[in-house]
Amino acid sequence: MNPIYIILIGTLVVLFCIIVLKLHAVISLLLAALVTGLLTSSDLIYQYAIHKGMSIQDAHTLSTDGIGKRLADAFGNTSGKIGILIALGSIIGACLMKSGGAERIVRSFLGLFGKKNASLALMSGSFLLAIPVFFQTVFYLMLPLIKSLGIHSPKKYSLYLMMVIAGGVMAHSLVPPAAGPLFVAQALGIDTGTMIIGGFAIGIFTSLCGYVYALWANKKWDLPMRDTPDVSIDDLKALSEKDNSELPGLLISVIPVVLPLVLITANSLSDLSDKASEANLSPFQKNWISVFSVLGDPNIALAISAAIALFLLSSRLKNTKNFQKVVAESISSAGVIILITTAGGVFGKMLEQTGIGISLSGLASSYQMAVLPLAFFITAAVRTVQGSAMVAMVTAAGVMSGISGAGLEFNTVYVALAIGCGSKIFTWMNDSAFWIVTEMCAMEEKETIRHFSFLSMVMGISGLIIIMILSKFLPFI
């Protein structure tokens, strides 16, 4: 069966299960993954494996694996990448909320920037933080701030939420050393410094376009704050009414948020330095790089942060039973989210194994005249059907690397930036980030589409427009 037909059937299954049958997202996504996997022939899987660079023997093994094993492998791989991060992020968030640490940060935040500029400050902070850190991690770390700000200004809750999303998703797809843009730059032979400058320029422009959309969406649609398993609205309101003397200090409150970002960023920068000038590094520098390679691993960095957050919570509650209850609730909340995001990853992997990337590659040779829109729409198509922005960017980079060399009338960095913007379309139910935002904010799927999917789409399209304009008037930056 043609991969496009398989993808359409899988998409219809997940939509039918969620919208019509009202099944839980985990069941819906796993059913859709099962149907997609069963419809995918061994020949398609073999071709996909060879296209991914597997050996003939490994490709044959994958193509003969049963559907149960392929689903289980995809489940394990996805959970292995995000499971620990989600669990630790949930613990950090719950500890900051229940201890009053998030409230302390918000009050200091508002005192420094003022309520009027809070939304732009959130967007700027999210943009910078998401360069070295996965969007999901940044969202987890900033979620307590969003909720606490929402208590102070309920009518701007959705605006604050969208600002964090806007800054985070664009930076992570446009600015190295984020994995996606770094890979694309290397695949297309683009200087990393050029990619960083271009990514910042396009990222700032698209984030501001997202800000305009967010202002409009905040007025058009009401998005109330709702209770979530880790913290209730009443708890947040009680914290917001406390006197400053009843809240923890700013330093101990901010360390669980800042420390993992510092460690992960230091690891990314030291890794780049190591690769660039390994022969010129002193033993002292090499030792520090080794230290940061351990402490800067996202799982280790968040584990350290979680330990500090737990210490903060225990020092404020001073009640073992309440302490245990908060931790248990945060882990329980994380468990549901891990299942949903992992199920989304399984569905995405089954879609990927249909060989849709190969089908899209065949289109490239016929449309060389419109390289930038082609790069954009190939990335958007892959992102929409299988959910991962990283996979979409890698696929598109592979496709475009064959037609974006000599003969272009503009710098190849514009192709890379078009790929980054295309990866923002379309965020929906096969994307783990979609479910993280939905579950952690207790939103309905249609609300997430309005405040996340449409926001990302606006920024992606506005990015393509400005990239095409710049490639015309500033072709060789």
Side-chain angles (χ1 to χ4, degrees):
M1 185 182 293
N2 190 298
I4 295 177
Y5 296 150
I6 298 174
I7 287 167
L8 287 175
I9 293 172
T11 302
L12 289 173
V13 169
V14 71
L15 292 175
F16 180 78
C17 289
I18 290 176
I19 297 172
V20 179
L21 299 182
K22 305 295 184 182
L23 294 178
H24 193 279
V26 173
I27 298 174
S28 302
L29 290 165
L30 289 178
L31 281 174
L34 176 62
V35 171
T36 303
L38 288 172
L39 292 176
T40 305
S41 67
S42 59
D43 287 340
L44 287 176
I45 298 172
Y46 181 82
Q47 293 171 17
Y48 154 79
I50 294 296
H51 185 72
K52 293 286 288 184
M54 292 184 183
S55 66
I56 293 177
Q57 182 178 354
D58 290 341
H60 176 73
T61 301
L62 179 63
S63 65
T64 55
D65 282 343
I67 181 63
K69 186 177 187 307
R70 288 194 290 124
L71 289 173
D73 287 345
F75 191 96
N77 290 335
T78 306
S79 180
K81 292 176 181 177
I82 63 174
I84 295 176
L85 292 176
I86 290 176
L88 294 175
S90 181
I91 291 171
I92 293 169
C95 290
L96 288 176
M97 298 304 300
K98 294 289 187 177
S99 67
E103 180 66 23
R104 166 62 75 183
I105 295 173
V106 168
R107 292 188 188 183
S108 302
F109 191 85
L110 293 177
L112 181 62
F113 294 101
K115 283 189 177 182
K116 187 177 180 180
N117 300 318
S119 56
L120 287 174
L122 279 175
M123 183 179 71
S124 302
S126 177
F127 186 93
L128 292 174
L129 296 178
I131 294 172
V133 181
F134 281 111
F135 165 72
Q136 287 93 327
T137 306
V138 173
F139 184 77
Y140 261 115
L141 292 173
M142 298 194 75
L143 185 58
L145 308 184
I146 298 170
K147 290 184 176 181
S148 291
L149 279 169
I151 288 294
H152 289 275
S153 303
K155 292 184 178 180
K156 291 186 176 181
Y157 169 64
S158 67
L159 177 62
Y160 297 143
L161 174 65
M162 286 185 283
M163 287 299 90
V164 169
I165 293 172
V169 298
M170 293 314 302
H172 202 68
S173 292
L174 291 172
V175 186
L182 185 63
F183 174 88
V184 173
Q186 293 173 346
L188 300 182
I190 301 166
D191 176 71
T192 303
T194 302
M195 187 67 186
I196 290 174
I197 295 171
F200 261 106
I202 301 302
I204 291 171
F205 176 83
T206 53
S207 295
L208 290 174
C209 291
Y211 176 62
V212 174
Y213 171 83
L215 290 173
W216 174 82
N218 185 62
K219 292 180 180 179
K220 181 173 178 62
W221 295 303
D222 178 50
L223 181 65
M225 287 186 64
R226 301 186 180 98
D227 291 343
T228 54
D230 57 324
V231 65
S232 68
I233 301 301
D234 290 337
D235 290 339
L236 288 172
K237 288 181 178 178
L239 287 170
S240 69
E241 294 170 357
K242 284 188 174 182
D243 187 80
N244 284 336
S245 61
E246 300 179 80
L247 298 175
L250 177 60
L251 180 61
I252 188 65
S253 298
V254 81
I255 284 177
V257 178
V258 174
L259 181 60
L261 301 175
V262 172
L263 292 175
I264 294 170
T265 302
N267 181 37
S268 298
L269 294 176
S270 62
D271 187 49
L272 288 176
S273 300
D274 187 24
K275 291 178 180 178
S277 56
E278 183 175 2
N280 300 323
L281 294 175
S282 67
F284 177 78
Q285 290 173 316
K286 289 182 178 179
N287 288 336
W288 273 110
I289 289 174
S290 298
V291 170
F292 280 121
S293 67
V294 176
L295 299 181
D297 177 86
N299 292 316
I300 301 300
L302 261 72
I304 297 171
S305 180
I308 297 172
L310 288 168
F311 170 76
L312 171 62
L313 179 66
S314 64
S315 66
R316 302 302 299 180
L317 290 183
K318 297 178 181 178
N319 183 300
T320 303
K321 287 187 177 180
N322 288 341
F323 174 80
Q324 292 174 339
K325 181 181 178 183
V326 171
V327 176
E329 288 175 349
S330 67
I331 293 175
S332 176
S333 174
V336 175
I337 297 165
I338 290 170
L339 281 174
I340 292 174
T341 53
T342 301
V346 174
F347 181 40
K349 176 56 72 173
M350 292 302 104
L351 294 175
E352 185 182 349
Q353 289 181 358
T354 63
I356 184 63
I358 304 173
S359 301
L360 291 174
S361 299
L363 299 174
S365 59
S366 304
Y367 296 95
Q368 293 191 37
M369 295 302 295
V371 173
L372 294 176
L374 180 61
F376 178 89
F377 286 113
I378 286 177
T379 315
V382 177
R383 171 65 191 273
T384 300
V385 300
Q386 58 79 45
S388 169
M390 179 65 183
V391 171
M393 294 177 73
V394 169
T395 302
V399 173
M400 301 308 297
S401 61
I403 65 173
S404 61
L408 286 181
E409 299 179 352
F410 45 79
N411 195 310
T412 313
V413 71
Y414 288 118
V415 179
L417 295 173
I419 289 173
C421 290
S423 70
K424 300 302 98 189
I425 301 173
F426 183 73
T427 303
W428 70 293
M429 297 172 189
N430 61 354
D431 180 12
S432 61
F434 179 95
W435 293 109
I436 287 174
V437 173
T438 300
E439 295 299 315
M440 290 306 295
C441 297
M443 296 163 64
E444 298 177 2
E445 287 85 355
K446 64 179 181 182
E447 292 174 330
T448 310
I449 289 174
R450 291 170 180 171
H451 296 89
F452 186 3
S453 306
F454 289 167
L455 171 66
S456 298
M457 185 170 66
V458 167
M459 293 189 293
I461 293 174
S462 64
L464 175 63
I465 293 172
I466 192 62
I467 288 168
M468 294 183 71
I469 293 173
L470 290 175
S471 68
K472 181 69 174 177
F473 294 101
L474 295 172
F476 294 102
I477 56 175

